[in-house]
Amino acid sequence: MAAPPSQRYRQISFLLTGGSGADVQFTFALRPEELSVTDPTRLTTNQTLGGAWTDVFGRGIRTITLTGNNGWRGGLLQSGEDMFLSLRQAVYDGWHQRRRLLLASGQDPSAVELIFTDNLDGIHDVVVPRTFSLHRSRSRPLLMQYSIQLDVLRDATTALSLSDEITDALSNPLRWLLAQTGLGNVVTMLGQFQDYLTQGLNILGAARGVLAQLVDTAIQLFQGVADIAGETEGIFTGQNSLLLEFSTQYALAATSGLEALGADSTLPMDDRIALMQAASTFADGACTMANGFNVNQTIPLITPLFGASMCSSTGGGDAASQFMLDNTSPFESMLDPGTSILTVSSGAQAAISGLRLDPLLLIGHSDDVISNFDAMGNGVQVAA
């Protein structure tokens, strides 16, 4: 039987890197008296009449705890007290100081990393110091004892990946094109719901016509948004941005109302399923318009207003504004609304506000929902 490998040169150390200054390394001259590594699992176990069941969400946060001392004499060049201070500077004080300096200069403090290496147990982790404690005891009066608790961020030997599907999608320069395609799919799904209205929903009776008009108006709105996105490469300004915002609100109101109608237990199951699918389609449309396009805010030119205040013409300031001299309002000329492409009645606007509630509050009020849908479908016109 072969002899086990020597543990003599398997060091335990910390490396502080990133931020201002050179890398700082601390190697224990004396290994910690106690070292514990805990790997939890993110789970919740529940007791039921049928037995136990558990929700498991993967690995939890690994924690590392070190306790020990650096002796009284310390190492070759430092005493035990000096080594304790060096350990605290590398693991705790220096880590916080470097992060604070980066944050003050407007940089990302996560560039500062503390790496814990335990060659004895094969641990190489990027960690953060949760606590750093000094202990003195009557039984060991000459020793400065430490207790360090660390949370593990990741394995230091694994390359850090910053890829995130949501972030990548939002930062994709062509996301407007994907959103335009998605909005086209929404229009197609709403067309299928219109086809179903000619067959089902018999319990609602005359409400089928109201729902058909609601969907028809929605298709005009969504198609208008998709067409403008194609012309402007997803950038909405002026009246176009108003169309985008209103279409999003329209879709959200329709979602809440349809979910409330679909919760009616007196309807046939096929009709309830169709209503819920339509609600989901409207929700997809709302999210697509809210997150898929860019809205550029127009900042009006306010130079003509200079001199409009009582004292602005004194002390070398601007002369009295022409608007004040003419006793006219500046907003008509400065904030030209342009040609409106959307006409919304007050009833439709009130109906949308009435449906922008939690669907649970609308359940049992189907007549009110249908009435609001009627106002929405007939109170909106989109210019060709």
Side-chain angles (χ1 to χ4, degrees):
M1 178 178 175
S6 173
Q7 298 183 359
R8 180 177 181 181
Y9 300 106
R10 297 185 183 182
Q11 298 178 332
I12 299 177
S13 62
F14 285 99
L15 175 64
L16 178 63
T17 182
S20 60
D23 294 348
V24 177
Q25 182 173 356
F26 180 89
T27 301
F28 289 95
L30 297 176
R31 290 173 182 161
E33 295 177 348
E34 295 184 10
L35 186 152
S36 62
V37 180
T38 303
D39 288 304
T41 300
R42 294 184 299 161
L43 59 81
T44 301
T45 303
N46 301 275
Q47 301 182 62
T48 68
L49 292 176
W53 59 274
T54 183
D55 288 325
V56 181
F57 306 98
R59 293 175 176 268
I61 299 176
R62 168 183 282 191
T63 58
I64 300 174
T65 303
L66 308 172
T67 58
N69 64 83
N70 293 296
W72 179 64
R73 294 185 181 276
L76 296 176
L77 302 177
Q78 290 181 306
S79 66
E81 180 180 352
D82 291 336
M83 293 192 71
F84 177 89
L85 297 176
S86 296
L87 174 61
R88 180 182 174 89
Q89 178 63 29
V91 175
Y92 190 80
D93 293 336
W95 185 81
H96 280 286
Q97 182 180 14
R98 293 191 180 203
R99 286 177 60 88
R100 184 171 61 253
L101 291 175
L102 285 181
L103 189 61
S105 62
Q107 302 180 58
D108 185 3
S110 63
V112 177
E113 290 187 339
L114 180 64
I115 301 176
F116 173 70
T117 300
D118 177 5
N119 290 310
L120 183 63
D121 301 300
I123 299 173
H124 311 279
D125 290 331
V126 177
V127 299
V128 293
R130 177 173 289 274
T131 61
F132 188 104
S133 304
L134 164 65
H135 297 283
R136 290 278 197 178
S137 67
R138 179 183 299 178
S139 62
R140 310 168 85 177
L142 300 180
L143 299 180
M144 300 179 70
Q145 303 172 77
Y146 58 81
S147 176
I148 306 172
Q149 293 183 348
L150 307 168
D151 288 343
V152 176
L153 299 182
R154 60 182 176 85
D155 188 340
T157 61
T158 303
L160 178 61
S161 174
L162 296 178
S163 177
D164 179 84
E165 292 184 2
I166 296 178
T167 302
D168 292 344
L170 292 176
S171 60
N172 185 351
L174 295 179
R175 69 187 175 114
W176 68 269
L177 190 58
L178 300 175
Q180 184 188 33
T181 302
L183 209 52
N185 294 334
V186 168
V187 170
T188 300
M189 293 293 292
L190 290 179
Q192 294 177 2
F193 179 61
Q194 277 188 320
D195 294 338
Y196 181 82
L197 290 175
T198 63
Q199 307 170 17
L201 299 177
N202 295 322
I203 299 298
L204 291 179
R208 283 184 295 170
V210 173
L211 292 174
Q213 183 60 49
L214 174 81
V215 173
D216 185 65
T217 301
I219 291 176
Q220 294 181 46
L221 290 170
F222 298 169
Q223 192 61 57
V225 171
D227 292 343
I228 293 174
E231 297 171 0
T232 63
E233 296 188 352
I235 299 177
F236 287 73
T237 60
Q239 290 293 323
N240 292 343
S241 63
L242 296 179
L243 174 63
L244 177 64
E245 172 64 21
F246 178 81
S247 299
T248 304
Q249 298 300 319
Y250 188 100
L252 291 172
T255 300
S256 297
L258 288 169
E259 288 179 348
L261 292 180
D264 187 351
S265 59
T266 63
L267 291 177
M269 185 56 65
D270 289 344
D271 292 350
R272 297 180 65 186
I273 292 174
L275 289 169
M276 288 300 186
Q277 288 177 340
S280 177
T281 301
F282 272 104
D284 288 343
C287 293
T288 299
M289 290 183 287
N291 300 321
F293 305 115
N294 294 321
V295 177
N296 284 0
Q297 299 294 335
T298 301
I299 301 177
L301 181 65
I302 62 172
T303 304
L305 285 178
F306 293 168
S309 63
M310 182 178 65
C311 301
S312 61
S313 60
T314 62
D318 293 320
S321 169
Q322 190 64 40
F323 291 113
M324 187 179 69
L325 296 176
D326 297 340
N327 194 27
T328 58
S329 171
F331 297 105
E332 292 183 1
S333 60
M334 294 176 58
L335 304 177
D336 182 12
T339 304
S340 176
I341 59 176
L342 182 66
T343 303
V344 182
S345 68
S346 58
Q349 196 65 258
I352 291 176
S353 299
L355 291 176
R356 287 301 313 278
L357 301 172
D358 190 315
L360 292 176
L361 301 177
L362 300 174
I363 294 176
H365 302 278
S366 297
D367 292 340
D368 293 337
V369 172
I370 294 299
S371 177
N372 285 327
F373 278 170
D374 188 23
M376 288 171 57
N378 293 291
V380 179
Q381 292 183 352
V382 183

